[in-house]
Amino acid sequence: MRQVTIKTIADELKLSASTVSRALNDHPDIHDDTKRLVNKLAGELGYRPNIMARNLKSRTSNQIGVIVPEIRHDFFANAISGIEEVAYQKGYTIIIAQSNEEQEREIINLNSMYLNRVSGIIVSISQSTNTESHFQKLIERGVKMVFFDRVCQTLNVPKVHIDDFESAAKVVNYLIGKNYSTIVHFAGPQSLDICRKRKLGYEEALGKPGSNLKSVVIEAGMHENDGYNSMNKLLEMGIESCAIFAVNDPVAVGAVKRMKELKIDIPGQMGIVGFSNNPITEMITPRLTTVDQHAFEMGQKAAEILIDEIEGKNLNGNQLDIKLETSLLIRESA
Amino acid sequence: MRQVTIKTIADELKLSASTVSRALNDHPDIHDDTKRLVNKLAGELGYRPNIMARNLKSRTSNQIGVIVPEIRHDFFANAISGIEEVAYQKGYTIIIAQSNEEQEREIINLNSMYLNRVSGIIVSISQSTNTESHFQKLIERGVKMVFFDRVCQTLNVPKVHIDDFESAAKVVNYLIGKNYSTIVHFAGPQSLDICRKRKLGYEEALGKPGSNLKSVVIEAGMHENDGYNSMNKLLEMGIESCAIFAVNDPVAVGAVKRMKELKIDIPGQMGIVGFSNNPITEMITPRLTTVDQHAFEMGQKAAEILIDEIEGKNLNGNQLDIKLETSLLIRESA
DNA sequence: ATAGAACCTGCAAACGATTGCAGGGAAGGG
DNA sequence: CCCTTCCCTGCAATCGTTTGCAGGTTCTAT
């Protein structure tokens, strides 16, 4: 007999499969002596319950699906870490897929998880996703779903993300307090929700009563070289002393690189703040002031909410829209 | 009727479940008209095969378990990306767990995957793992396993990793070619296999015939501040011009930081090389020369081997011990 | 002595899909 | 007209566990 099953034990002990099953599950109907006997033999035989059979019977898998654009991105890797942490504590297993920023692959992965009968799905949507029907369809069929970071606003499921608007305003207010004469924003592509919100937050903070700072925005991409180039543009505009709020860390790093080449004093002549708290921000000189998005905690929170949904402990219906506090990490660059 | 099953379709069409099953699986025994009918209704009813039932029947899950120390580490995140990529192509799903460098948790995760009947497991062992019995036990029970990066040398299963010895020698040979008068090694803890091998590679290259370079090793940890402190030690030793081979990138970055504070010219007065190709190496000034470990490819390779094992396509028995080529990325720091 | 409670245990039917075997009908050959 | 062969389809067992129900024993209380 290849596999040790409940039946193996039952036969050996001249019991029925049901008694063995109950004994293993510590059911009160079973005599303690029987339980001891069964457990002892189970141990000796190296019995392991067949989870597939159990899942089939219970119609659930205790698996949580996670779909992110790219696992290798620092932010997502951290978020996944957080998800795994919580899932592990609560007895769930996570299965992971990446969309590589392609909608098509997002759809395939989503459906594959649906087929696999995962207990729930945590998603951060891909950049190229321009429809929500694939999510909508599953939600209608009762699949538990939670979005994080890159959420889909129009869908009626829980979301966990940061308040980009508030966070940006927080940064700018800090810079205002530092008495910089000009506060510039190196913005990201305005097609992206988060970039738009960060810019709005910047403008909101600048426009506060009593402030006579004018808005200076240079829009570019989100990579290091974009920051480098924006820095050149800034100088062409004749601005020689200011504070810069960069849309993210790579852009800030690129700007810093150019500033160092030009021997611009940081933060004396120009201050600069990034966004995301990439590991690099702490390794460059000067250490970069930035905004920590608490990726790990975001993952944890998303997992907690999903598991609550799965286990029917959801208090607030699906209206949950959690904006996690960000932290302004004040270091040396501003 | 809540769930649409094969039986639902069978009843509706007044067929038997077996006919429906065969029709869905395009079995030659079934008439084309029947197939068309069945597939049509299946589509309309939104039928999805219950993978758990199928798995139970087929005694396999098409899932691959992955256990790494920490998902958030750049290297592992990349490796996982690679694993997922291959798994996705070949129709497997990956389930992920992290050991947080704790042996106990590694064991729990390993056993949980075993219970879940994964088709195979890919592991990079935790730092605190000091026994191999938990792996050994599963291997004896026929679980397919592949190690990557942090491999367990004594176990008779496929391994994928880099040749630390060769890679280190490659770095040092490059530095020798640059005519540095002294070549120093900032070594990591010699309790770790990889650190020991890198040091040996360093010594090997230095000891080559015709070279009269003497070995200068400063042993410390693997973090940025270790590099910073080692730099100070180096100067105390009176060495003012040399090339440094750091055990990894953070150590190199720490050293660079100190060098910049002291206005040491890089690479003129001192050259420095890191190890791993962390993203940061390209963002600091000067851009760091380092060794690329091809994490993504390593993950791909490990997944390919595992899947070959699972599908019985393994050519070379379990003796596979793949040392992936590393690349010396020559940039500005040396 | 006996009813009732309290305990144990087993039967058998699920869960949903797959598959060996066999039955039934139609077509074709003798 | 009968037998064989080829198609198509269904029966029933199987994968391993769980669980409602019922049967059986022992013990306690009246």
Side-chain angles (χ1 to χ4, degrees):
Chain A
M1 190 162 303
R2 192 74 200 84
Q3 278 291 339
V4 179
T5 75
I6 277 193
K7 186 131 196 335
T8 319
I9 300 178
D11 290 349
E12 191 83 14
L13 256 34
K14 305 211 189 311
L15 289 174
S16 77
S18 28
T19 302
V20 174
S21 169
R22 278 189 266 254
L24 289 168
N25 292 311
D26 203 22
H27 194 286
D29 274 4
I30 306 298
H31 195 287
D32 280 350
D33 292 348
T34 313
K35 284 182 190 167
R36 255 189 295 280
L37 225 59
V38 168
N39 280 308
K40 178 154 169 292
L41 185 63
E44 287 169 11
L45 262 48
Y47 166 77
R48 52 173 179 158
N50 186 316
I51 300 210
M52 291 173 195
R54 186 178 288 171
N55 287 347
L56 172 60
K57 184 71 180 161
S58 65
R59 299 149 170 280
T60 170
S61 68
N62 267 39
Q63 291 195 330
I64 291 177
V66 180
I67 303 178
V68 296
E70 294 207 55
I71 298 167
R72 58 216 298 189
H73 280 10
D74 183 65
F75 174 82
F76 291 119
N78 274 283
I80 292 172
S81 257
I83 293 171
E84 200 272 345
E85 194 62 32
V86 170
Y88 174 77
Q89 306 294 352
K90 307 222 175 184
Y92 289 78
T93 285
I94 65 173
I95 87 180
I96 300 210
Q98 50 193 345
S99 62
N100 280 334
E101 304 285 12
E102 287 165 26
Q103 170 166 260
E104 194 200 355
R105 187 138 161 204
E106 185 174 274
I107 295 176
I108 292 173
N109 283 323
L110 200 65
N111 287 327
S112 154
M113 289 182 177
Y114 175 58
L115 283 184
N116 271 285
R117 299 285 202 286
V118 292
S119 303
I121 304 180
I122 297 178
V123 188
S124 190
I125 65 184
S126 101
Q127 232 167 65
S128 71
T129 298
N130 52 28
T131 155
E132 58 192 45
S133 59
H134 49 303
F135 298 122
Q136 185 65 47
K137 206 163 52 188
L138 295 206
I139 293 166
E140 279 165 10
R141 294 191 190 165
V143 175
K144 304 292 181 194
M145 207 179 288
V146 172
F147 287 99
F148 79 98
D149 189 48
R150 306 223 206 128
V151 307
C152 187
Q153 286 295 358
T154 52
L155 289 171
N156 188 30
V157 291
K159 309 165 187 66
V160 184
H161 46 155
I162 63 162
D163 190 331
D164 285 286
F165 182 86
E166 275 303 327
S167 305
K170 194 191 290 186
V171 169
V172 177
N173 282 327
Y174 165 73
L175 293 174
I176 292 174
K178 285 283 202 173
N179 289 319
Y180 283 99
S181 59
T182 313
I183 296 175
V184 181
H185 179 38
F186 285 1
Q190 294 299 297
S191 54
L192 279 180
D193 200 48
I194 54 171
C195 297
R196 216 165 35 236
K197 291 215 178 106
R198 287 177 199 174
K199 183 176 158 206
L200 288 174
Y202 159 80
E203 284 165 346
E204 164 78 11
L206 277 194
K208 275 203 312 200
S211 143
N212 58 352
L213 291 162
K214 63 178 190 304
S215 149
V216 182
V217 175
I218 300 179
E219 185 181 327
M222 301 183 75
H223 298 295
E224 195 192 322
N225 60 325
D226 295 310
Y228 189 94
N229 296 333
S230 295
M231 195 64 216
N232 283 331
K233 273 198 199 136
L234 181 68
L235 295 169
E236 282 168 20
M237 291 166 73
I239 297 176
E240 301 202 326
S241 164
C242 64
I244 299 165
F245 165 44
V247 68
N248 68 4
D249 287 331
V251 168
V253 169
V256 166
K257 193 171 265 187
R258 186 67 186 132
M259 283 151 98
K260 281 165 138 183
E261 286 174 5
L262 299 169
K263 308 236 183 291
I264 293 173
D265 174 45
I266 311 173
Q269 185 180 347
M270 287 193 187
I272 182 155
V273 179
F275 204 108
S276 283
N277 192 24
N278 277 10
I280 186 175
T281 56
E282 227 183 356
M283 300 183 111
I284 64 170
T285 310
R287 288 161 60 241
L288 207 60
T289 295
T290 187
V291 175
D292 190 348
Q293 297 188 74
H294 305 299
F296 188 85
E297 289 77 9
M298 197 181 290
Q300 288 184 307
K301 193 76 200 170
E304 280 165 13
I305 293 175
L306 181 67
I307 292 174
D308 279 353
E309 288 269 332
I310 291 169
E311 299 181 348
K313 295 185 200 149
N314 183 354
L315 319 161
N316 330 41
N318 284 329
Q319 306 301 350
L320 242 42
D321 186 348
I322 299 201
K323 305 226 193 229
L324 247 43
E325 277 290 308
T326 55
S327 313
L328 179 60
L329 298 180
I330 298 172
R331 295 202 275 239
E332 293 143 14
S333 72
Chain B
M1 190 161 305
R2 193 76 202 81
Q3 278 291 341
V4 178
T5 75
I6 276 195
K7 185 130 197 332
T8 319
I9 299 177
D11 290 350
E12 191 83 14
L13 256 34
K14 306 212 188 313
L15 290 173
S16 78
S18 29
T19 303
V20 174
S21 169
R22 280 189 265 253
L24 289 168
N25 291 312
D26 204 23
H27 193 286
D29 274 3
I30 306 298
H31 196 287
D32 281 350
D33 292 349
T34 313
K35 285 182 189 167
R36 254 189 294 280
L37 225 58
V38 168
N39 281 308
K40 179 155 170 292
L41 186 62
E44 287 169 10
L45 261 46
Y47 165 77
R48 52 172 178 157
N50 186 317
I51 300 210
M52 292 173 194
R54 186 178 289 171
N55 286 346
L56 172 60
K57 183 72 180 156
S58 66
R59 300 148 170 278
T60 169
S61 69
N62 266 41
Q63 291 195 330
I64 291 176
V66 180
I67 303 178
V68 296
E70 293 207 54
I71 298 167
R72 58 216 299 189
H73 278 11
D74 183 65
F75 174 81
F76 292 119
N78 274 284
I80 291 171
S81 259
I83 293 171
E84 200 273 343
E85 195 62 33
V86 170
Y88 173 78
Q89 306 293 351
K90 307 222 173 182
Y92 288 78
T93 286
I94 65 173
I95 86 180
I96 299 209
Q98 50 193 345
S99 61
N100 280 335
E101 304 285 12
E102 287 164 29
Q103 170 165 257
E104 193 200 356
R105 188 140 161 202
E106 185 175 274
I107 294 176
I108 293 174
N109 283 323
L110 200 65
N111 287 327
S112 153
M113 288 180 177
Y114 176 58
L115 283 184
N116 271 286
R117 301 283 204 285
V118 292
S119 303
I121 304 181
I122 296 178
V123 188
S124 190
I125 66 184
S126 101
Q127 234 167 64
S128 71
T129 297
N130 52 28
T131 156
E132 59 192 45
S133 59
H134 49 302
F135 298 122
Q136 185 66 46
K137 204 162 55 188
L138 295 205
I139 293 166
E140 278 165 10
R141 295 193 189 162
V143 176
K144 304 292 180 192
M145 208 179 289
V146 172
F147 287 99
F148 79 99
D149 190 46
R150 306 222 207 129
V151 308
C152 186
Q153 286 295 0
T154 52
L155 288 171
N156 188 30
V157 292
K159 308 164 188 67
V160 184
H161 48 155
I162 62 162
D163 190 331
D164 285 286
F165 181 87
E166 275 302 327
S167 305
K170 194 190 293 185
V171 169
V172 177
N173 283 328
Y174 166 73
L175 293 174
I176 291 174
K178 283 283 201 172
N179 288 319
Y180 282 100
S181 59
T182 313
I183 297 175
V184 180
H185 180 37
F186 285 2
Q190 295 299 298
S191 54
L192 279 179
D193 199 48
I194 54 172
C195 296
R196 215 164 36 235
K197 292 216 177 105
R198 286 177 200 174
K199 185 177 157 205
L200 288 174
Y202 159 80
E203 284 165 347
E204 163 79 10
L206 276 195
K208 275 202 314 199
S211 142
N212 58 352
L213 292 162
K214 64 178 190 305
S215 150
V216 182
V217 175
I218 300 179
E219 185 180 328
M222 301 183 75
H223 298 295
E224 195 191 323
N225 61 325
D226 295 309
Y228 190 93
N229 296 333
S230 296
M231 196 65 217
N232 283 330
K233 272 198 199 139
L234 181 68
L235 295 169
E236 282 167 21
M237 292 166 73
I239 298 177
E240 301 201 327
S241 166
C242 63
I244 299 165
F245 165 44
V247 68
N248 68 3
D249 287 331
V251 168
V253 168
V256 167
K257 193 173 267 188
R258 186 66 186 134
M259 283 150 101
K260 281 167 144 185
E261 286 174 5
L262 299 170
K263 308 236 182 291
I264 292 174
D265 175 44
I266 312 172
Q269 185 179 347
M270 287 194 187
I272 181 157
V273 179
F275 204 109
S276 282
N277 192 23
N278 277 11
I280 185 174
T281 56
E282 229 185 354
M283 300 183 110
I284 64 169
T285 310
R287 288 160 60 240
L288 207 61
T289 294
T290 186
V291 175
D292 191 347
Q293 296 188 73
H294 305 300
F296 188 85
E297 289 76 10
M298 197 181 288
Q300 288 185 306
K301 193 75 199 169
E304 280 166 12
I305 293 174
L306 181 67
I307 292 174
D308 279 354
E309 288 269 330
I310 292 169
E311 299 180 348
K313 295 184 200 151
N314 183 354
L315 320 162
N316 328 42
N318 284 328
Q319 307 301 351
L320 242 42
D321 186 348
I322 300 201
K323 305 226 194 230
L324 247 42
E325 277 290 308
T326 55
S327 314
L328 180 61
L329 298 179
I330 297 172
R331 295 203 276 239
E332 294 143 14
S333 71

